[in-house]
């Protein structure tokens, strides 16, 4: 969705479970712009707009890339002198909407019953066979990791290494590893990286009671090459970039479990954006992961993705068009790498966070994954004012760490 909003409302982070309902649909301060209960809904907020009357349009998220967005409500409203706005929205269908006040003065997103958003999996009949064959091929490849000590991030508490090992199809993956020096068995925290994110090194003084592992899939992280991985290898599912990258995510679990000091019963994983997608996929492909905390996950629901925001799907469209690939053939290929199609295979506990204003991995695509999870123990956290940069939200880090810690003890 387009990001053209300037809002004055001070909204708190909200943690909730899909079963939570409010007695009315009112947007009270601790709920922000996310409605969890049954309607009719009342929006109360503050906006950066001059006092007085104006037109408020409520448009569906799934029409933002249309030439003209689908307007489901057009209401004459009044902005009060203190910049407050109170609007009766009635009974909106479950989903996400962009609010447009006076056309371009203020724009922001609201959500209605995200746990009821429907985006059915579209896995091909051979989806399971395809991934089973990939994992069989991966298992035949010796891990044989190579370790390089990083002295600047090593002390008497933990030792830091850069690691690399072979993966599917001759690809190289690995990452940055920090291991306690004291003897014993430790939980392993696997962190998957965002799309093109820069790698970092762990503070050796921090977390002395766990092993930290920051994963670099092929061509990214410590192996970073040219950008734009998402449109590589569109000619076939065997050549597509994420076939190897998803296997790299699984291989990271193989590596973690192989560590001498690792407790294989206490492997956890988390990540943001692409890291959130890789977290979901790794948990689907390897049940040794006991709990996950993905944030603003990428790579979910390609068909609907293309209706909400331009990047990345339209960039993929452009490459496919240049290579003469039919649009339906493209979507068939992408369905093998759509995280929502992995979701039913995930059964471990899950805590997912999303930003209601996310212009990169919009909430609909997050919930196309979440609502298809096989996990019974699943929860989500919404930060209503957050866009895509969940890693900057201190509240998320606190809630995530508290959730994961209970599975590491």
């Amino acid at each position: 969705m387009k990001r053209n909003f300037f809002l004055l409302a001070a909204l708190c982070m909200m943690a909730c479970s899909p079963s939570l309902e409010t007695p009315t649909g009112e947007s009270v301060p601790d709920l922000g712009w996310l409605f969890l209960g049954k309607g009719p809904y009342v929006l109360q907020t503050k906006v950066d707009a001059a006092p007085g009357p104006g037109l408020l349009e409520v448009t569906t998220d799934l029409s933002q890339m249309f030439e003209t967005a689908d307007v489901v409500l057009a209401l004459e409203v009044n902005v009060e002198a203190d910049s407050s706005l109170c609007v009766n929205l009635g009974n909106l269908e479950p989903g996400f909407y962009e609010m447009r006040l006076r056309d371009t003065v203020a724009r922001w997103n609201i959500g209605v019953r995200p746990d009821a958003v429907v985006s059915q999996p579209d896995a091909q009949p051979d989806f399971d066979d395809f991934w089973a064959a990939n994992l069989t091929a991966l298992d035949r490849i010796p891990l044989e990791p190579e370790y390089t000590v990083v002295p600047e991030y090593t002390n008497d508490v933990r030792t830091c290494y850069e690691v690399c090992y072979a993966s599917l199809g001759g690809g190289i993956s690995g990452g940055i590893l920090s291991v306690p020096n004291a003897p014993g068995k430790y939980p392993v925290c696997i962190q998957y990286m965002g799309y093109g994110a820069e790698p970092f090194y762990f503070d050796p003084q921090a977390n002395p009671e766990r092993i930290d592992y920051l994963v670099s899939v092929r061509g990214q992280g410590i192996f970073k090459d040219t950008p734009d991985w998402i449109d590589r290898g569109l000619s076939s599912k065997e050549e597509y970039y994420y076939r190897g990258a998803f296997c790299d995510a699984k291989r990271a679990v193989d590596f973690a479990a192989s560590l001498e000091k690792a407790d294989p019963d206490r492997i956890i994983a988390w990540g943001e954006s692409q890291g959130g997608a890789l977290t979901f996929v790794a948990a689907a492909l390897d049940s040794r992961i006991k709990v996950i905390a993905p944030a603003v996950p990428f790579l979910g629901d390609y068909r609907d993705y293309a209706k909400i925001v331009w990047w990345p799907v339209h960039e993929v469209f452009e490459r496919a068009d240049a290579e003469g690939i039919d649009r339906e053939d493209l979507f068939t290929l992408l369905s093998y790498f759509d995280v929502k199609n992995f979701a039913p295979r995930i059964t471990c506990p899950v805590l997912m966070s999303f930003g209601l204003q996310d212009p990169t991995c919009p909430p609909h695509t997050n919930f196309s994954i979440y609502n298809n999870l096989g996990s019974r123990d699943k929860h989500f956290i919404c930060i209503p004012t957050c866009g895509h940069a969940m890693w900057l939200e201190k509240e998320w880090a606190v809630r995530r760490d508290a959730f994961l810690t209970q599975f590491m003890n």
Side-chain angles (χ1 to χ4, degrees), residues 191-246:
Q191 183 176 344
Y192 293 100
M193 296 177 64
Y195 191 81
E198 294 299 324
F200 63 87
Y201 296 86
F202 299 101
D203 178 355
Q205 291 292 131
N207 304 314
E209 297 302 320
R210 80 183 192 202
I211 297 170
D212 281 311
Y213 183 41
L214 180 68
V215 178
S216 292
V217 296
R218 60 191 63 199
Q220 298 192 50
I222 63 173
F223 311 111
K224 197 170 186 178
D225 54 23
T226 56
D228 301 327
W229 301 272
I230 195 170
D231 59 0
R232 294 186 189 180
L234 295 176
S235 60
S236 72
K237 62 182 182 293
E238 289 77 18
E239 296 298 321
Y240 188 51
Y241 171 79
Y242 278 105
R243 174 179 177 242
F246 284 2

Side-chain angles (χ1 to χ4, degrees), residues 51-54 76-81 84-86 102:
E76 290 293 336
V77 299
N78 188 66
V79 179
E80 301 295 334
S84 65
L85 183 67
C86 181
R102 297 176 187 157

Side-chain angles (χ1 to χ4, degrees), residues 231 234 302-303 305-307 309-310 312-325 327 330-331 334:
D231 59 0
L234 295 176
Y302 291 96
R303 287 183 184 270
Y305 215 138
K307 300 173 185 177
V309 295
W310 180 265
V313 180
H314 285 82
E315 189 171 287
V316 176
F317 286 173
E318 291 175 353
R319 174 62 65 89
D321 290 345
E323 296 182 9
I325 299 171
R327 191 59 47 83
L330 175 65
F331 277 126
L334 293 175

Side-chain angles (χ1 to χ4, degrees), residues 246-292:
F246 284 2
C247 284
D248 295 348
K250 196 275 184 191
R251 176 122 284 202
V253 185
D254 295 337
F255 171 70
S258 76
L259 293 170
E260 181 181 356
K261 292 185 177 180
D263 180 349
D265 292 326
R266 292 187 291 165
I267 297 176
I268 67 171
W270 65 278
E272 294 143 346
S273 191
Q274 177 190 256
L278 295 175
T279 298
F280 274 128
V281 170
L285 297 179
D286 199 317
S287 62
R288 288 175 294 184
I289 295 179
K290 300 306 180 185
V291 60
I292 58 174

Side-chain angles (χ1 to χ4, degrees), residues 47-81:
V47 293
D48 188 7
L55 179 67
L56 177 70
E57 292 183 324
V58 183
T59 65
T60 61
D61 66 334
L62 292 175
S63 68
Q64 296 305 309
M65 287 296 104
F66 294 177
E67 186 173 340
T68 302
D70 181 19
V71 178
V72 296
L73 282 176
L75 304 168
E76 290 293 336
V77 299
N78 188 66
V79 179
E80 301 295 334

Side-chain angles (χ1 to χ4, degrees), residues 27 39 81 131 137 155 157 162 199 226 233 246 281 311 321 333 360 371 388:
S27 177
W131 283 105
N155 63 11
V157 178
E162 285 191 358
T226 56
F246 284 2
V281 170
W311 190 89
D321 290 345
L333 178 145
T360 305
N371 289 342
H388 188 60

